[in-house]
Amino acid sequence: MLFRQTVVLLFCCALAPCLVFSQEKQTAVTRPKMFDVTALDASADPCEDFDQYACGTWKKNNPVPSDQVFWARYNQLGEYNREVLRKIMEQAGSTPAGSQTARIVGNFYTSCMDETAANRAGITPLQSELRRIAAVSSHKELIDAVAHLHSIGVPVLFEFGAQPELHDATRMGAVIVQGGLGLPDRDYYLNQNDNSKQIRSKYVAHISTMLKLVGDSSESAEKQASAILDVEKGLAEASLDRVSMRDPKNRDHKMQVSALDALAPNLLLLRFFKAAGAPQFEQVNIVPPDYFQRLNTAVSSVPLDDWKTYLKWHLIRANAPYLSEPFVNEDFAFERRSLNGQREIEPRWKRCVSAADRLLGEALGRLYVEQTFSPENKRRTVEMVKLEEAALAENIQQLPWMNAQTKQQALLKLNAVTNKIGYPEVWLDYSSVKIKRDDLAENIRQARTFLVKHNLVKIGHPMDKSEWIVTTPTVNAYYYSPENSINFPAGVFQSPLFDAGMDDAVNFGAIGWLIGHELTHGFDDQGSKFDGQGNLTNWWTQTDREEFEKRTSCIADQYQDFVVVDDIHLNGRLTLGENTADNGGIRIAFAAMHKAAATKNAEQITIDGFTPEQRFFISFAQQWCANITPERLRVIAKVDPHAPVRFRTLGTLRNYSEFAKAFGCKEKQKMVSENACRVW
Ligand SMILES: [Zn+2]
């Protein structure tokens, strides 16, 4: 991302919630229609390639814009939202006498849009932090510097924060998690293929350029850059891979803080916690212990100067998008162009809106909701959720491979699912954050510091179930295991996902599928290990668990066969949770659509020449329709638990007999799987 996620959000997302779409940048600008016949490619055979059939003309006419790396119909909606937010922020900026919320948002936007001021400031905003790092002369001071960086939202070496307890989700506990890398995944440091080698050498050149921008000589910058790569390579080698991190048992290592000195004495973790501003606590979850043991060794074996250089680099990296043009451009050149294939930087206003959404999301969201969200959306969604929960309950009762005991447990969990729709009941109070009209770098620091504090202060307190993990204008949704909740922010209730004026078939194919998808996450490879109260508990009989794993393996193996780009295959295990949720979500939504029709006794009419069933599946495929740069596909294949959307359409529908029935597809055609996989 151009403007990176704040520590708090990254942190949450790394551990639990399952968003339906990967978090992509979003251009262009009208809100796309639901069920668009002009998007179809009627020359394609729906039974051979349904993505081409439903999206072919749209894809041909909508190449990836030069300032994006990924372009889907839901990104068009995201872009539309960004325009709405821009107007809100401009208006707030031009009326300084507005509410406190409007003042915060308006001041931030005004400061962010002032490129001249950022250019004039140059590296001045970083000077005091750079001096602080340069002054480190001992191991203890190094740990203090690490803690200080954490407290201002620059998580070096690892991540630290509050998390619902795995075995008692009513409580928030402390957790430290592997991290501290500058490249998107540990594999970038470890793989020996040409692409990884190229990225590494570009990364070293990028670090070196940045160090020169803060005043280091060429020779020194180059030397430091290669030392930084070595330091990060050490962190990567100590890290668990993403698939292992999906397994909750690999994230379940709570220990007494008094035992930390035995585990990793060099890390001085007690000193770190205090210096980072955390309240006192007795126990902490270490994810994973082996990472911290290896880091412990590295802290004493790697020279102090190399650690200081590493800290300096991460300070620059975290702030570069908000500094003067040379920093902004260099950050773009590596993070967006080299890594992701983006050709042009986004206009400044877009970057400013996105930064405000990430850093002051609930202030902006509050203004957004006032202008956009209707209670009718909520009422319709609650109705759909009820129908889908009933459909999933019936599915569970009918599963031939599951015994009555496990079924009863599954139904208990399903009955305990809660939902949040629209926006937070209580908005985050930003009154302690000082946002000025003329100091962007300081505003960023203030907002980040606030978010870190807001997170840390939760340690030892009950979990607040009213909180959200995404902001209100977000075009996405998520299931959150610790709450056993499904969550739909206001931003998602628009076409191409929802349109109150459209027929049920079209809405069930899009937002209805999304509801089913989130419900199924409660029962995917990860969710199925937590009970209805959000606790990590085994509620399965051994035989049923084995049967479940046979079925999830079917999905993992099938998706592993998709080739993402070049010779890179999709990672079937990394994307298993999402693919399982897609697989279940489509069935649940389809059944719910029929329930809705039966309730209303509605006549099943053909519209635009399509039956309700056909409209349902076309709507499902058309909520995304996407073009993606090959560079971005390589990153997705490595880091994203979501398959690229084309494979989500193909994989989901091939496995579903109702799809074949709706379009008259026959055995041996590509959209009919020979060995159809089904979990729920
Ligand atoms: Zn999902």
Side-chain angles (χ1 to χ4, degrees), residues 53-70:
Y53 174 75
C55 298
T57 304
W58 186 92
K59 291 211 280 191
K60 195 174 82 190
N61 294 334
N62 289 274
V64 179
S66 58
D67 67 347
Q68 304 294 312
V69 298
F70 174 88

Side-chain angles (χ1 to χ4, degrees), residues 74-94:
Y74 72 81
N75 291 72
Q76 286 179 311
L77 169 56
E79 204 59 17
Y80 171 86
N81 269 355
R82 215 152 42 158
E83 291 277 6
V84 172
L85 295 173
R86 175 194 198 175
K87 289 196 184 92
I88 289 171
M89 296 186 82
E90 283 176 348
Q91 196 183 4
S94 63

Side-chain angles (χ1 to χ4, degrees), residues 317-524:
R317 176 174 181 266
N319 288 285
Y322 312 103
L323 296 173
S324 57
E325 261 183 304
F327 287 94
V328 171
N329 292 341
E330 177 57 29
D331 180 74
F332 166 77
F334 180 73
E335 298 283 346
R336 301 306 299 172
R337 187 185 291 136
S338 296
L339 269 179
N340 289 290
Q342 187 173 322
R343 287 166 291 153
E344 278 177 37
I345 194 164
E346 285 185 326
R348 193 169 182 92
W349 74 264
K350 289 190 187 177
R351 290 177 271 141
C352 289
V353 169
S354 297
D357 183 49
R358 277 193 305 277
L359 294 165
L360 300 165
E362 289 202 15
L364 186 55
R366 193 169 180 168
L367 302 177
Y368 173 82
V369 157
E370 284 168 11
Q371 295 199 7
T372 57
F373 190 67
S374 120
E376 173 63 9
N377 293 348
K378 189 161 182 166
R379 193 191 63 74
R380 288 275 299 261
T381 311
V382 169
E383 258 175 29
M384 292 171 94
V385 168
K386 279 190 193 142
L387 289 170
E388 304 220 6
E389 286 174 346
L392 177 53
E394 281 168 24
N395 273 2
I396 291 171
Q397 275 150 352
Q398 288 162 11
L399 288 177
W401 54 270
M402 189 182 270
N403 78 25
Q405 190 188 336
T406 311
K407 281 182 182 175
Q408 194 194 359
Q409 294 300 317
L411 290 168
L412 272 177
K413 175 162 186 179
L414 175 61
N415 286 334
V417 172
T418 57
N419 59 63
K420 294 202 287 277
I421 295 164
Y423 52 91
E425 279 170 29
V426 182
W427 295 96
L428 196 52
D429 176 5
Y430 291 93
S431 56
S432 64
V433 193
K434 304 270 175 294
I435 300 294
K436 302 181 192 162
R437 284 176 81 79
D438 58 358
D439 194 343
L440 173 62
E442 181 57 22
N443 289 344
I444 299 289
R445 180 190 166 96
Q446 284 280 332
R448 284 176 168 165
T449 305
F450 169 78
L451 289 173
V452 171
K453 267 193 202 150
H454 175 68
N455 177 265
L456 289 179
V457 82
K458 295 175 190 169
I459 296 173
H461 289 278
M463 177 171 63
D464 179 357
K465 289 193 175 187
S466 69
E467 281 206 335
W468 288 66
I469 279 164
V470 301
T471 63
T472 305
T474 303
V475 182
N476 218 325
Y478 64 95
Y479 171 78
Y480 191 42
S481 249
E483 294 174 354
N484 190 25
S485 66
I486 52 175
N487 303 269
F488 304 90
V492 82
F493 294 99
Q494 302 174 77
S495 60
L497 284 124
F498 176 79
D499 182 342
M502 294 295 284
D503 52 309
D504 271 357
V506 165
N507 279 313
F508 273 102
I511 194 98
W513 162 83
L514 181 55
I515 295 167
H517 171 100
E518 301 308 343
L519 279 174
T520 310
H521 269 312
F523 303 90
D524 68 14

Side-chain angles (χ1 to χ4, degrees), residues 91-386:
Q91 196 183 4
S94 63
T95 47
S99 67
Q100 187 195 46
T101 305
R103 227 169 27 245
I104 286 174
V105 166
N107 285 356
F108 182 85
Y109 190 68
T110 306
S111 74
C112 188
M113 288 302 289
D114 193 349
E115 193 170 16
T116 313
N119 287 338
R120 207 168 40 231
I123 61 162
T124 313
L126 285 192
Q127 289 293 21
S128 68
E129 294 296 341
L130 288 169
R131 277 198 296 271
R132 187 191 265 262
I133 294 169
V136 168
S137 63
S138 70
H139 176 202
K140 279 184 182 159
E141 287 175 9
L142 173 69
I143 299 301
D144 290 345
V146 168
H148 173 71
L149 286 171
H150 272 252
S151 75
I152 58 169
V154 184
V156 284
L157 296 183
F158 47 79
E159 302 199 20
F160 168 55
Q163 172 204 46
E165 298 269 7
L166 287 169
H167 297 276
D168 177 8
T170 63
R171 311 286 311 168
M172 297 296 284
V175 61
I176 46 174
V177 186
Q178 66 182 31
L181 302 179
L183 289 171
D185 187 82
R186 62 164 220 155
D187 285 1
Y188 283 90
Y189 299 88
L190 310 179
N191 284 359
Q192 291 307 318
N193 57 39
D194 288 348
N195 187 256
S196 301
K197 284 182 188 164
Q198 253 174 33
I199 298 270
R200 284 200 289 275
S201 88
K202 284 181 182 170
Y203 182 51
V204 169
H206 166 59
I207 298 173
S208 175
T209 305
M210 285 290 205
L211 293 174
K212 282 184 261 180
L213 287 176
V214 298
D216 293 348
S217 71
S218 291
E219 195 192 340
S220 160
E222 280 163 29
K223 224 171 102 194
Q224 291 178 73
S226 72
I228 288 163
L229 184 72
D230 287 345
V231 166
E232 292 185 3
K233 185 166 175 250
L235 301 180
E237 281 166 345
S239 299
L240 276 182
D241 64 84
R242 283 175 194 267
V243 171
S244 305
M245 284 290 278
R246 288 183 65 75
D247 188 342
K249 82 171 186 304
N250 291 329
R251 308 194 305 259
D252 184 20
H253 300 285
K254 195 159 82 167
M255 56 193 290
Q256 296 293 325
V257 291
S258 54
L260 290 175
D261 272 348
L263 178 87
N266 298 333
L267 298 183
L268 306 176
L269 285 167
L270 296 185
R271 186 182 179 101
F272 166 83
F273 296 144
K274 198 166 170 210
Q280 273 211 326
F281 50 87
E282 311 263 292
Q283 294 179 314
V284 58
N285 189 13
I286 314 280
V287 185
D290 186 54
Y291 175 83
F292 289 90
Q293 282 172 322
R294 294 174 72 162
L295 181 59
N296 178 67
T297 308
V299 161
S300 62
S301 62
V302 172
L304 185 63
D305 278 348
D306 288 359
W307 285 118
K308 288 167 63 176
T309 302
Y310 163 81
L311 300 189
K312 177 164 80 172
W313 159 235
H314 279 271
L315 172 74
I316 299 166
R317 176 174 181 266
N319 288 285
Y322 312 103
L323 296 173
S324 57
E325 261 183 304
F327 287 94
V328 171
N329 292 341
E330 177 57 29
D331 180 74
F332 166 77
F334 180 73
E335 298 283 346
R336 301 306 299 172
R337 187 185 291 136
S338 296
L339 269 179
N340 289 290
Q342 187 173 322
R343 287 166 291 153
E344 278 177 37
I345 194 164
E346 285 185 326
R348 193 169 182 92
W349 74 264
K350 289 190 187 177
R351 290 177 271 141
C352 289
V353 169
S354 297
D357 183 49
R358 277 193 305 277
L359 294 165
L360 300 165
E362 289 202 15
L364 186 55
R366 193 169 180 168
L367 302 177
Y368 173 82
V369 157
E370 284 168 11
Q371 295 199 7
T372 57
F373 190 67
S374 120
E376 173 63 9
N377 293 348
K378 189 161 182 166
R379 193 191 63 74
R380 288 275 299 261
T381 311
V382 169
E383 258 175 29
M384 292 171 94
V385 168
K386 279 190 193 142

Side-chain angles (χ1 to χ4, degrees), residues 18-21 517-518 521 577-578 581 642 648:
C18 292
L19 295 157
V20 67
F21 305 130
H517 171 100
E518 301 308 343
H521 269 312
E578 295 302 329
H642 305 81
R648 295 181 72 176

